[in-house]
């Protein structure tokens, strides 16, 4: 508008000597009026525009507020729903006062409180007293990082506890600093973890450490011993005769025995000592803080005495002993594997020297053990190379001196070591699974040999052949016996099969069935090594035995132990009432033979009459029919 007026004033040419005309003034005033009208119109339009814009803006603002409030309401509802329906406990706690500002029902249920009770409490009330100092440290770390995960113990209203995993975050609420904690119950998870750890480190049967944990403990003890310049001792225990008990009474009783032995070992040691089951019936022991190796002797003897106490199984008394090997750090090794291996070598030496004893490791023991390993490898080919032969030991009527039979015994003609007795290789054959092949070869060879003697005119005599527990388990024993009799043409009644008492009681029902089938073939059956196992004479009545052979250890005890003589007399009397003949094994002296005669046992086998002989020498005795002059009874 001002531009319009300015142009109009210039047009009037206001000069003193030339004033404007009336028409010019009218035009000027008309222009001003027009300008005012335009201004009013512009103001009206502007005011209307502003009014409309303000209304729309307010509407938009109000609509946005409604949306925000609705979103907050929905969000709050969702939060509350999640808060109340969560599977974990949720707490909102004031940082400064530690009061519980909010809590869900899950937390109340798990802790045994009502929500109202919890809302009136401080968070410290649900922690054990011994963990209260830890709370301040947790809050400090939480304030520094804004978020923290940790494990804690919660105490329920009834005093019981549960382990929880807590995730906490710092928040602002109504101008105050709070933290929200979500607590998950991990009690069962921890129990599972502990169980997995136990399974990984402890023997599931006996509860003592397993090999892995034992190696770790020995390794740790070696590091300590290095720093302190001290010694430590590793013991290797192997049970003597455990296999016989396990076979006689079954694996369930064998497992119970191992559990009992583990307890006996632990009771004989200090709490600081480590006991481990290394496998089967083998145990390892770590002794720390031993000032002198000689201190070990008393500990080991205590262990041996503890293990050797009698056990009662199924109304029978069983005896188990242990052989112990000892190695000392750093003399016998500087790492766990070497110490354990050398203790193992020493244990084998202890067994070889009579069992129920202990030995410290010496280098020569390792050489002997390696020699045994090599011997086992060579045994695999001994039968193929015709290195095994059958020797025959006469069984004699001590009153008449007449030979009533022979027992076939294996001998190994080793190309480097010469003639080896069964004690050197039969146990190896059992360990290596070769015993059935060896038994089968002996059976066929001995049957053919005795039949050949008979064909040569030698009076018919009984042939005794030993069978192992593996033979009984094999499943084809009856067929093998039948085949041996058929191929040799030896009359069945001349063959007597010997089984140890522990072998037949491994599986009572199966053994009785097999022995009954063997008896139907016409062969004789003998129970061998009687008196050192776990059977009773009443149990023997369940089997069709013809002969009972008293173990050789009675012969060694008879002279100095009247009690053993009484036992032998009782065995003879009852066996005869059961219809069985009685033989005595291992007789080496006249005095032993005479005591057996006094007890009523006259059939004798032992070196007093003859050692086992090769076939050609045994033939000479068989032709003669006797080995010594008859001896008068007293």
């Amino acid at each position: 508008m001002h531009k319009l007026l300015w142009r109009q004033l210039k047009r009037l040419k206001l000069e003193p000597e030339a004033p404007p005309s009336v028409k010019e003034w009218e035009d000027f005033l008309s222009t001003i009026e027009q300008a005012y009208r335009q201004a009013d119109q512009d103001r009206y339009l502007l005011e209307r525009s502003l009014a409309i814009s303000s209304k729309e803006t307010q509407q938009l603002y109000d609509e946005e507020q409604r949306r925000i409030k609705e979103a907050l309401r929905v969000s709050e509802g969702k939060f509350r729903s999640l808060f109340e329906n969560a599977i974990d406990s949720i707490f909102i706690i004031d940082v400064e006062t530690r009061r519980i500002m909010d809590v869900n029902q899950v937390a109340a249920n798990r802790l045994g409180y009502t929500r109202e009770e919890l809302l009136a409490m401080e968070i410290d009330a649900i922690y054990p007293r011994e963990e209260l100092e830890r709370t301040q440290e947790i809050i400090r770390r939480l304030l520094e990082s804004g978020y923290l995960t940790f494990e804690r113990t919660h105490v329920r209203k009834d005093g019981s506890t549960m382990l929880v995993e807590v995730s906490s975050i710092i928040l602002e609420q109504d101008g105050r600093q709070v933290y929200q904690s979500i607590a998950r119950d991990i009690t069962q998870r921890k129990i599972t973890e502990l169980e997995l750890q136990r399974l990984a480190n402890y023997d599931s049967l006996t509860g003592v450490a397993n090999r892995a944990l034992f190696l770790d403990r020995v390794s740790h003890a070696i590091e300590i011993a290095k720093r302190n310049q001290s010694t430590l001792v590793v013991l290797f225990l192997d049970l003597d005769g455990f296999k016989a008990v396990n076979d006689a009474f079954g694996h369930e009783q064998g497992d119970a025995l191992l559990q009992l032995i583990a307890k006996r070992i632990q009771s004989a040691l200090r709490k600081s000592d480590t006991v481990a089951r290394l496998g089967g019936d083998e145990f390892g022991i770590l002794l720390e803080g031993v000032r002198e190796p000689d201190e070990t002797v008393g500990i080991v003897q205590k262990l041996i005495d503890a293990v050797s106490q009698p056990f009662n199984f199924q109304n029978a008394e069983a005896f188990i002993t242990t052989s112990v090997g000892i190695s000392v750090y750093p003399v016998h090794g500087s790492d766990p594997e070497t110490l354990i291996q050398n203790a193992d070598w020493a244990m084998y030496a202890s067994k070889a020297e009579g069992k129920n004893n202990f030995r410290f490791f010496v280098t020569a023991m390792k050489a002997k053990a390696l020699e045994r390993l090599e011997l086992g490898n060579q045994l695999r080919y001994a039968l193929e190379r015709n290195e095994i032969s059958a020797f025959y030991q006469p069984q004699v009527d001590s009153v008449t001196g007449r030979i009533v039979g022979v027992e076939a015994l294996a001998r190994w003609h080793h190309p480097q070591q010469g003639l080896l007795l069964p004690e050197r290789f039969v146990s190896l054959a059992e360990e290596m699974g070769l015993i059935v092949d060896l038994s089968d070869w002996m059976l066929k060879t001995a049957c053919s040999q005795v039949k050949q003697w008979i064909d040569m005119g030698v009076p018919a005599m009984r042939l005794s052949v030993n069978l192992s527990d593996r033979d009984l388990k094999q499943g084809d024993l009856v067929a093998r016996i039948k085949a041996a009799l058929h191929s040799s043409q030896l009359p069945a009644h001349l063959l007597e099969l010997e089984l140890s008492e522990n072998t037949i009681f491994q599986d009572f029902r199966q053994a009785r069935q097999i022995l009954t089938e063997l008896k139907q073939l016409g062969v004789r059956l003998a129970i061998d090594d009687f008196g050192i196992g776990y059977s009773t004479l009443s149990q023997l009545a369940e089997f069709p035995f013809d002969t009972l052979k008293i173990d050789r250890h009675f012969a060694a005890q008879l002279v100095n132990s009247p009690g053993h003589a009484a036992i032998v007399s009782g065995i003879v009397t009852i066996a005869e009432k059961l219809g069985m003949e009685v033989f005595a094994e291992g007789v080496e002296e006249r005095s032993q033979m005479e005591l057996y005669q006094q007890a009523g046992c006259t059939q004798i086998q032992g070196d007093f009459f003859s050692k086992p002989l090769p076939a050609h020498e045994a033939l000479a005795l068989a032709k003669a029919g006797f080995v010594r002059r008859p001896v008068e009874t007293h």
Side-chain angles (χ1 to χ4, degrees):
M1 184 182 70
H2 67 282
K3 289 182 179 180
L4 180 64
L5 292 174
W6 176 252
R7 286 196 301 272
Q8 193 63 34
L9 284 173
K10 285 183 70 176
R11 196 179 297 120
L12 286 175
K13 301 177 183 180
L14 294 179
E15 296 177 2
E17 62 275 12
S21 65
V22 174
K23 187 168 183 330
E24 289 176 331
W25 278 111
E26 286 178 352
D27 291 341
F28 177 72
L29 292 174
S30 177
T31 301
I32 291 174
E33 184 179 358
Q34 183 181 355
Y36 272 108
R37 283 198 302 271
Q38 183 66 45
D40 288 340
Q41 186 178 3
D42 290 345
R43 184 176 67 250
Y44 171 77
L45 292 174
L46 179 60
E47 288 176 352
R48 182 169 179 79
S49 176
L50 288 173
I52 293 172
S53 176
S54 176
K55 185 177 180 181
E56 289 178 349
T57 300
Q58 185 64 42
Q59 288 176 343
L60 289 172
Y61 174 79
D62 292 343
E63 182 66 26
E64 185 64 23
Q65 288 298 307
R66 281 195 299 273
R67 281 199 300 268
I68 291 171
K69 288 179 180 179
E70 178 64 19
L72 286 172
R73 186 186 67 78
V74 172
S75 178
E76 238 177 68
K78 288 182 178 178
F79 171 78
R80 205 69 212 174
S81 177
L82 291 172
F83 189 83
E84 293 300 338
N85 295 302
I87 62 172
D88 298 319
S89 302
I90 302 177
F91 303 84
I92 296 178
I93 302 124
D94 188 293
V95 171
E96 185 176 350
T97 65
R98 296 189 191 172
R99 293 195 68 81
I100 300 173
M101 298 175 63
D102 202 356
V103 64
N104 66 352
Q105 191 60 45
V106 172
N109 293 342
R110 287 183 178 168
L111 291 169
Y113 292 98
T114 65
R115 289 185 64 183
E116 290 71 21
E117 287 175 323
L118 286 173
L119 291 172
M121 294 164 52
E122 294 181 5
I123 193 66
D124 288 352
I126 68 169
Y127 298 145
R129 290 183 180 179
E130 59 271 18
E131 290 190 17
L132 292 180
E133 293 183 2
R134 187 172 166 227
T135 304
Q136 192 59 43
E137 173 62 18
I138 288 173
I139 292 177
R140 184 189 65 79
R141 291 168 55 199
L142 178 59
L143 290 171
E144 287 179 356
S145 62
Y147 178 82
L148 193 64
T149 299
F150 51 92
E151 291 182 5
R152 293 215 72 167
T153 301
H154 281 182
V155 181
R156 299 185 181 94
K157 188 176 182 179
D158 62 7
S160 61
T161 61
M162 63 177 169
L163 292 171
V164 294
E165 184 180 69
V166 183
S167 298
S168 294
I169 187 170
I170 293 291
L171 300 170
E172 289 287 337
Q173 183 172 305
D174 300 330
R176 288 183 297 181
Q177 207 170 31
V178 301
Y179 64 93
Q180 176 182 284
S181 291
I182 300 175
R184 173 162 294 180
D185 185 353
I186 59 171
T187 305
Q188 189 56 49
R189 189 182 84 189
K190 284 295 182 181
I191 292 172
T192 302
E193 288 175 358
L194 289 173
E195 179 63 16
L196 291 173
Q197 183 182 20
R198 188 188 68 80
L199 292 173
N201 293 306
Y202 291 88
D203 177 54
S204 59
L205 176 64
T206 62
V208 300
N210 61 15
R211 179 179 285 272
L213 181 58
F214 188 65
L215 285 168
D216 183 68
R217 293 271 179 89
V218 174
S219 180
H220 181 66
I222 288 173
E223 294 303 317
I224 295 174
K226 282 180 182 177
R227 291 197 299 268
N228 299 338
Q229 295 185 338
S230 59
T231 62
L232 62 89
V233 176
V234 172
L235 309 180
F236 197 105
L237 283 70
D238 184 86
L239 303 180
D240 306 321
F242 173 75
K243 183 178 181 298
V245 174
N246 202 44
D247 290 346
F249 296 103
H251 294 296
E252 185 175 342
Q253 293 294 337
D255 288 348
L257 178 59
L258 286 173
Q259 291 171 336
L260 182 55
I261 286 173
K263 290 179 181 177
R264 288 187 179 183
I265 292 173
Q266 288 177 302
S267 67
L269 297 172
R270 305 166 298 178
K271 289 185 178 179
S272 59
D273 300 325
T274 297
V275 181
R277 184 181 176 211
L278 303 181
D281 59 344
E282 297 174 338
F283 291 85
I285 295 173
L286 169 63
L287 305 177
E288 298 183 73
V290 178
R291 288 169 295 183
E292 296 292 336
D294 289 345
E295 293 180 28
T296 309
V297 174
I299 299 173
V300 173
Q301 193 58 56
K302 188 178 179 182
L303 281 169
I304 290 174
D305 294 341
V307 172
S308 63
Q309 296 301 309
F311 302 90
N312 291 312
F313 284 132
Q314 299 173 359
N315 298 320
E317 197 172 58
F319 292 88
I320 293 290
T321 59
T322 184
S323 298
V324 183
I326 308 169
S327 65
V328 181
Y329 170 86
V331 180
H332 301 142
S334 58
D335 61 86
E337 291 79 6
T338 301
L339 288 169
I340 294 171
Q341 183 63 74
N342 287 343
D344 193 7
W345 298 134
M347 180 275 296
Y348 274 111
S350 175
K351 276 190 179 294
E353 294 175 20
K355 303 179 180 179
N356 197 30
N357 207 340
F358 66 89
R359 289 289 181 270
F360 283 88
F361 173 76
V362 294
T363 306
M365 293 174 178
K366 184 175 181 179
K368 288 183 178 179
L370 291 174
E371 179 186 345
R372 177 179 170 83
L373 181 62
E374 178 61 25
L375 193 66
N377 292 331
Q378 295 171 348
L379 181 60
R380 292 186 181 278
Y381 308 102
L383 283 173
E384 296 177 10
R385 297 170 179 169
N386 296 318
E387 294 173 2
I388 304 295
S389 67
F391 276 43
Y392 301 88
Q393 186 171 35
Q395 298 168 336
V396 181
D397 183 325
S398 62
V399 177
T400 64
R402 184 174 62 87
I403 297 175
V404 295
V406 291
E407 180 178 359
L409 301 165
R411 294 293 185 268
W412 182 6
H413 300 272
H414 193 279
Q416 287 81 40
Q417 300 184 38
L419 189 66
L420 300 183
L421 301 181
E423 291 79 5
R424 290 289 305 279
F425 63 88
V426 169
S427 61
L428 274 176
E430 290 177 343
E431 292 172 14
M432 301 174 67
L434 302 174
I435 191 65
V436 173
D437 290 339
L438 181 60
S439 295
D440 204 42
W441 183 89
M442 283 292 296
L443 178 66
K444 292 176 180 178
T445 300
C447 286
S448 296
Q449 183 65 77
V450 171
K451 179 60 169 66
Q452 184 181 347
W453 291 346
I454 293 172
D455 292 343
M456 295 170 62
V458 173
M461 66 179 68
R462 181 188 311 164
L463 167 65
S464 296
V465 179
N466 286 283
L467 297 178
S468 70
D469 60 337
R470 291 284 185 90
D471 289 309
L472 210 59
K473 293 176 184 176
Q474 192 73 8
D476 61 347
L477 179 59
V478 176
R480 287 165 49 208
I481 301 300
K482 188 183 296 185
L485 291 172
H486 177 75
S487 62
S488 65
Q489 293 300 301
L490 179 73
H493 72 276
L494 295 181
L495 176 62
E496 184 169 78
L497 303 173
E498 296 187 6
L499 300 99
S500 70
E501 55 179 319
N502 293 331
T503 295
I504 62 174
F505 288 107
Q506 178 180 355
D507 188 330
F508 191 92
R509 183 176 300 177
Q510 182 191 36
R512 184 167 56 184
Q513 179 182 345
I514 293 175
L515 295 186
T516 300
E517 292 177 15
L518 288 174
K519 193 65 179 169
Q520 291 171 353
L521 294 179
V523 301
R524 293 175 59 87
L525 299 174
I527 182 164
D528 195 16
D529 302 329
F530 186 83
I532 62 169
Y534 315 105
S535 64
T536 64
L537 286 168
S538 62
Q539 288 174 310
L540 293 181
E542 300 283 334
F543 293 89
F545 285 113
D546 302 286
T547 304
L548 183 149
K549 297 185 74 173
I550 301 173
D551 186 73
R552 63 181 58 248
H553 97 277
F554 280 97
Q557 300 292 332
L558 277 176
V559 177
N560 299 317
S561 175
H564 278 76
I567 293 173
V568 169
S569 180
I571 291 173
V572 171
T573 300
I574 297 175
E576 288 178 347
K577 288 185 179 298
L578 292 174
M580 290 187 283
E581 295 183 26
V582 182
F583 267 81
E585 296 181 296
V587 177
E588 298 179 354
E589 301 173 3
R590 179 180 292 275
S591 58
Q592 295 172 350
M593 180 193 68
E594 291 173 348
L595 287 169
Y596 269 121
Q597 287 178 335
Q598 291 174 13
C601 178
T602 59
Q603 299 195 75
I604 304 296
Q605 181 178 337
D607 291 356
F608 176 69
F609 287 106
S610 174
K611 293 182 178 181
L613 302 171
H616 66 280
E617 294 182 27
L619 174 60
L621 279 179
K623 285 181 178 179
F626 64 91
V627 292
R628 286 180 184 268
R629 291 177 302 170
V631 178
E632 296 294 332
T633 59
H634 297 277

